[in-house]
Amino acid sequence: MTLPKSKNSLPVKKQSASASGGGAKAKAPSRKRGPRSLYTAAELHEIFRRFSVQRPEPKGELDYINAFTLLIAVVLSAQATDAGVNKATKALFSAADTPQKMLALGEAKVGDYIRTIGLWRNKAKNVIALSKALIDDYAGKVPEDRDELVKLPGVGRKTANVVLNVAFGQHTMAVDTHIFRIGNRIGLAPGKTPEQVEQGFLKVIPAEYMRHAHHWLILHGRYVCKARKPDCPICVIADICKSKEKTTDVPAPLVPIAPLKEAFPAEV
């Protein structure tokens, strides 16, 4: 038997699925994705294939002896040219190629060696502090982990990525001004920040080309896709490039380029 409703009774509100804990869960806010590469997977593969033919074993232009001296050279290269750093570090690395030897030199002596490099006073402090930290915290060895590297004085994400890639062969992408420019200018990995461009490149570069991609892109940006005006007639990817600035659709002949000379062997 159904009881009659009281005039004073209030309507009962139904609980929503989210309030009761049942049913579908509320959707999490979607993350905004950065701009996508303008290139197909096939085009990306062909771009880096050509880079690999042009420079089968690409080398950076900083001179170094081992992982430690590479780290120091990259730290010193901030706001300085590689050629200028090499002139200063030739004598420095002959005198000190380990954290222990560098610390023994002292800040003043290190400063004398690197006086020709911009911001040399602050860099001399960082070199000594970095050497001491390696001795105290890492038994004098350069760590093979980005999170540990960026804890060191004067070491940022870009420097850490260079060391991890060059010294330890890790598939990292160090975004300097050249790589940032290429990522955006030709639409390979567009982004508003270096880290966005870095993540973009890591997503689109074919795995078999990641080992040397960092050097290929830097050298391409330094000598071909230059800041003021790209030198399109000597570009091996001119036919694939989607930049609005390009001046030709005819690619340069795909021939190997002689490797850069190294003042020191890369004993890492």
Side-chain angles (χ1 to χ4, degrees):
M1 179 176 177
T2 304
L3 296 175
K5 293 182 180 179
S6 168
K7 291 182 180 179
N8 297 326
S9 62
L10 298 173
V12 178
K13 292 183 179 179
K14 292 183 178 180
Q15 282 187 312
S16 64
S18 60
S20 61
K25 293 182 179 179
K27 292 183 178 179
S30 58
R31 294 181 180 178
K32 291 183 179 180
R33 293 182 178 180
R36 293 184 178 182
S37 175
L38 300 181
Y39 300 82
T40 65
E43 288 172 330
L44 288 160
H45 191 279
E46 178 61 13
I47 287 171
F48 287 95
R49 184 195 72 81
R50 293 186 192 181
F51 285 159
S52 71
V53 172
Q54 190 178 42
R55 293 184 172 92
E57 293 293 332
K59 303 292 183 183
E61 296 182 319
L62 284 173
D63 297 334
Y64 62 95
I65 300 170
N66 49 35
F68 170 69
T69 54
L70 172 64
L71 176 59
I72 296 300
V74 180
V75 168
L76 296 177
S77 70
Q79 300 181 40
T81 64
D82 289 354
V85 171
N86 290 340
K87 287 180 181 179
T89 57
K90 184 175 182 179
L92 174 63
F93 292 162
S94 294
D97 59 358
T98 67
Q100 292 83 357
K101 292 178 182 177
M102 194 69 73
L103 187 60
L105 280 181
E107 184 181 322
K109 189 63 177 178
V110 169
D112 289 340
Y113 280 110
I114 66 171
R115 193 177 293 270
T116 56
I117 300 175
L119 306 175
W120 64 271
R121 288 185 178 85
N122 190 55
K123 289 178 179 179
K125 290 180 181 179
N126 282 336
V127 167
I128 293 301
L130 184 158
S131 299
K132 187 175 188 305
L134 287 176
I135 295 168
D136 292 345
D137 302 329
Y138 302 99
K141 295 182 179 179
V142 177
E144 299 182 34
D145 179 84
R146 184 191 292 116
D147 291 339
E148 297 302 319
L149 279 169
V150 296
K151 293 177 183 178
L152 298 171
V155 178
R157 186 180 182 89
K158 184 183 75 172
T159 296
N161 281 338
V162 171
V163 173
L164 292 175
N165 179 261
V166 177
F168 303 116
Q170 295 187 24
H171 289 183
T172 59
M173 177 58 60
V175 178
D176 67 351
T177 55
H178 299 299
I179 293 181
F180 187 81
R181 179 174 67 255
I182 291 175
N184 284 287
R185 175 188 274 169
I186 73 176
L188 270 178
K192 294 182 179 180
T193 66
E195 192 161 348
Q196 285 180 352
V197 172
E198 175 188 334
Q199 295 305 317
F201 272 121
L202 292 176
K203 289 178 182 177
V204 302
I205 296 173
E208 65 263 42
Y209 297 122
M210 265 307 307
R211 175 67 179 87
H212 295 307
H214 163 249
H215 278 131
W216 286 326
L217 290 167
I218 285 180
L219 295 172
H220 188 69
R222 182 172 290 168
Y223 298 110
V224 181
C225 202
K226 302 173 186 176
R228 292 187 179 181
K229 184 179 179 182
D231 197 350
C232 299
I234 66 169
C235 179
V236 295
I237 62 168
D239 55 326
I240 306 174
C241 176
K242 301 181 189 297
S243 173
K244 295 178 181 178
E245 297 180 49
K246 76 175 184 178
T247 59
T248 181
D249 289 321
V250 180
L254 186 58
V255 294
I257 295 176
L260 297 165
K261 291 182 178 180
E262 290 186 295
F264 296 107
E267 297 176 359
V268 297

